[in-house]
Structures are given as C-alpha cells and as structure tokens.
Amino acid sequence: MNLDDVLDRAHVVQLPMAVKFRGVTRREALLIDGPKGWGEFAPFLEYGPEESAHWLQAGVEAAYQGFPAPLRDTVEVNGTIPAVPAEQVPEVMQRYPGCTTFKIKVAEKGQTLDDDIARVAAVREHVAATGAMPVLRVDANCGWTVDQAVAAAQRLMPLDYMEQPCQTAEELAEVRTQLMRRGIFVRVAADESIRKVEDPFRVAELKAADVAVVKPAPLGGVRRVLSIASELRARHMDITVASALDTSVGISMGLAAVAALPKIADDEDIDVAPAAAGLATGSLFLEDVTAPREIVDGHLKVDAAVPEPDRLAALAAPADRRDWWFERLRQAWEFVPAQED
C-alpha cells in the first residue's frame, strides 16, 4: 500500500445536510475502497496537514487493516439536536426512534442561554411524554467562559454531562471545581481537549473532566481509540464514543470501536453496556453513500458500510473539489507513520 494506491481507490463525495451543522450545509469526504473495507478521510476544513494525518491514518486502517473483532452486535446511540428553535425540536427528534439519550447543541453564536434552555426543555418534555427517563447532554463546543458554564449548568440541570463547555483543559478543571463547590451535580465531558491536542491524557492528569468523548477519525482510528479509552478508564474517566460528522463509512469506525470496547461487569457480574454513543448523526444528512442505518429501539446494528455505486456517482463532488481533496490527502500523507505493504 502506498500513496498512489490510496488515491487510485479514492472517491470524493458531497452529502447534503438536513440541517446546518458546524456552519455547513454540505459535508465533503474522501472515501477509500480498500482491500479490507471502506475507509474515510474527512477532516474539518480548519485542520492543517499534520492534524489531518490522524484522520487519514484512521481511513487507511479501516481500508487496509479492517476492524478488531466485535464483542457486541448492537450499540445504543444518542440523538443529536442542532441549535434549532425549540419548536423545531420534535421534528428533529423523530429521526431517532427509541432514543432516550440526546446531545443538544448550545452556546450557538447569535443565540442566548434562554434559547438553550427552551431547546433543552423541549427535548426533556418530548422524551418524558413517552414514559422514558430522559438522559440529556449539552455540547457547547468551547462556547462559554467558566462563569457562563456554571450559570448554564444551574439553569439546565438535570444533565448527564456538559460537553466541552470551555476551550482549555484548565478551564474545564475550573468548571468542574466550581460545580462541585456549589453542589451542582453535572458532569463535565472533554471533546476538543482530547482530540485536538498532542496529549489526550492531560485532561485526566488535570482532573478536568469526568467523561472523555473519543472519536476514531481525529484520534487516528479504532485501535487508537481503544488504547486511549483503556488508559482513560484506568484513570477513572467514563467513555463516550462519537462521530465527527462522518458519512456512513465513518460511522462504521465508531460502531467498531464501541463493539470492541472491553466488557465491564458490575458488582453482580452483569455486563455494563457502554454509554450511548454519538453515532446516529447519519440522520443529519439528506443523502448518504448507503441506505440509512435503521435505529431500532435506540440502537444501531454493528456493521461495516459498503457504498452503493449509484449513490457514489450521484453524490460525487465536482472535479475541482475532487482535486482539492486529493491534494489535501497528499499533504496529510507526509505526516502519516510509514505503512507496511
């Protein structure tokens, strides 16, 4: 396997989104039709070549090495609610049948905390109306200061956790300290502080978070996620596996990671299921390279996506975008560890 072989196997696609997410209405990705399966290379546009190399390493692993043996057949998933108006929440929630855990985007530019409160309340009421107990997470994407995060926690609780309320690990540690001092029982989760730094274990060393959100693509692949998860669990952090706005090919990486997480038994020797994974983001796309994965009672089946030729053709990116992604892959390749044939 070499760079030319990867490029020969590559397809660049544009997926239209059902709702605007991370500021985009179309998600572009480069897919690799490898000997062991399909891989995906789709770093967000702000990533430079060195950071993008982790995403490429993940795609190459999937395409040329395949995934570890699974220990589970299905994975519980959470629904994802973008920063939509509260009245639009029920419509979005319909895409996640049987889900009782939801991650809700907050701290959107141009919106207020009152907007966030209304959106979270709408999700809570909709789940409760089904007779289920809602498990709610909010994701601020570094959008708050420490004081804003603590104030938001007071008004939004009860929550499972607040994901990346502030930008730095030091700020997360301060949020966690302030919450404990005030008796506010809301956990702190780290996302960007793990996937966008050289040392993903620094969050644990600073005691900055209770939960680690780990994503195969930006962390370098399924095996890398399993290694990081093992280390963080040993440091008493819980794990949530999530996607990075992946196509169905990329979602396969996340499902493979959850399926291969070592089993953990409780005091009665009963297997404790992994936390609901953030892998139902396929519902955010209008079209994908495979038929939509069916969510059954809040779970997805563990499988590897195989794009359909007709869909690949219909969703193919224009020539200039294909060339742009090929050049981006070449630049990232310079930072990928040497691969064996």
Side-chain angles (χ1 to χ4, degrees):
M1 182 268 297
N2 53 44
L3 175 58
D4 288 339
D5 187 64
V6 173
L7 291 173
D8 285 344
R9 297 172 177 272
H11 303 258
V12 179
V13 295
Q14 286 183 340
L15 307 187
M17 304 198 63
V19 291
K20 191 175 182 180
F21 200 85
R22 286 185 61 93
V24 301
T25 56
R26 288 183 176 272
R27 176 68 163 134
E28 293 185 336
L30 183 149
L31 307 180
I32 307 166
D33 183 5
K36 296 293 186 179
W38 283 78
E40 177 173 317
F41 172 64
F44 297 128
L45 299 183
E46 68 265 25
Y47 284 76
E50 190 167 1
E51 281 185 306
S52 297
H54 298 295
W55 299 66
L56 181 52
Q57 189 172 354
V60 167
E61 177 197 54
Y64 288 87
Q65 190 175 359
F67 300 134
L71 301 177
R72 302 168 183 85
D73 297 325
T74 65
V75 167
E76 183 184 0
V77 293
N78 68 242
T80 299
I81 308 297
V84 298
E87 56 269 22
Q88 194 176 338
V89 163
E91 174 189 344
V92 177
M93 291 180 69
Q94 290 177 7
R95 302 172 186 152
Y96 305 101
C99 289
T100 57
T101 300
F102 283 87
K103 183 171 81 169
I104 305 149
K105 293 293 182 178
V106 294
E108 182 83 355
K109 289 183 180 180
Q111 297 187 7
T112 67
L113 179 56
D114 285 339
D115 295 323
D116 296 335
I117 292 169
R119 186 180 311 112
V120 171
V123 177
R124 181 176 287 118
E125 291 169 7
H126 196 75
V127 175
T130 69
M133 178 67 70
V135 178
L136 305 186
R137 306 159 174 174
V138 296
D139 183 5
N141 285 121
C142 310
W144 286 325
T145 65
V146 170
D147 289 343
Q148 287 173 332
V150 173
Q154 288 178 305
R155 298 187 65 187
L156 292 170
M157 65 183 298
L159 297 171
D160 182 20
Y161 57 67
M162 305 174 69
E163 182 175 325
Q164 201 70 39
C166 306
Q167 186 168 6
T168 69
E170 289 80 5
E171 289 174 316
L172 295 187
E174 182 60 24
V175 169
R176 191 165 178 261
T177 297
Q178 291 295 331
L179 292 175
M180 288 189 290
R181 285 178 178 172
R182 301 183 186 207
I184 302 172
F185 299 104
V186 176
R187 298 189 298 168
V188 174
D191 177 10
E192 285 88 346
S193 291
I194 290 174
R195 65 178 168 89
K196 296 194 72 171
V197 295
E198 293 182 0
D199 182 7
F201 306 118
R202 188 163 176 270
V203 169
E205 292 168 359
L206 292 174
K207 297 183 179 179
D210 307 279
V211 181
V213 179
V214 291
K215 301 178 178 181
L219 289 175
V222 173
R223 288 169 179 80
R224 176 64 173 152
V225 162
L226 295 176
S227 174
I228 291 173
S230 176
E231 179 70 24
L232 292 177
R233 277 179 163 177
R235 302 187 190 198
H236 310 291
M237 289 182 66
D238 289 336
I239 300 297
T240 297
V241 176
S243 82
L245 198 57
D246 305 319
T247 74
S248 59
V249 170
I251 293 295
S252 296
M253 291 192 295
L255 292 172
V258 181
L261 284 172
K263 293 188 176 184
I264 298 177
D266 63 14
D267 294 338
E268 297 180 358
D269 202 32
I270 298 175
D271 179 33
V272 179
L279 298 173
T281 51
S283 300
L284 299 176
F285 297 113
L286 289 174
E287 298 288 345
D288 206 335
V289 293
T290 68
R293 283 184 168 91
E294 184 181 6
I295 302 174
V296 179
D297 294 331
H299 288 69
L300 287 177
K301 182 180 178 181
V302 175
D303 62 6
V306 178
E308 301 169 15
D310 289 348
R311 289 174 181 265
L312 281 177
L315 296 168
D320 62 326
R321 296 306 298 167
R322 178 180 180 275
D323 293 344
W324 187 89
W325 276 96
F326 274 34
E327 179 58 28
R328 195 177 191 198
L329 189 151
R330 292 188 186 97
Q331 293 176 10
W333 185 265
E334 298 298 321
F335 297 94
V336 175
Q339 303 286 328
E340 296 181 359
D341 289 336

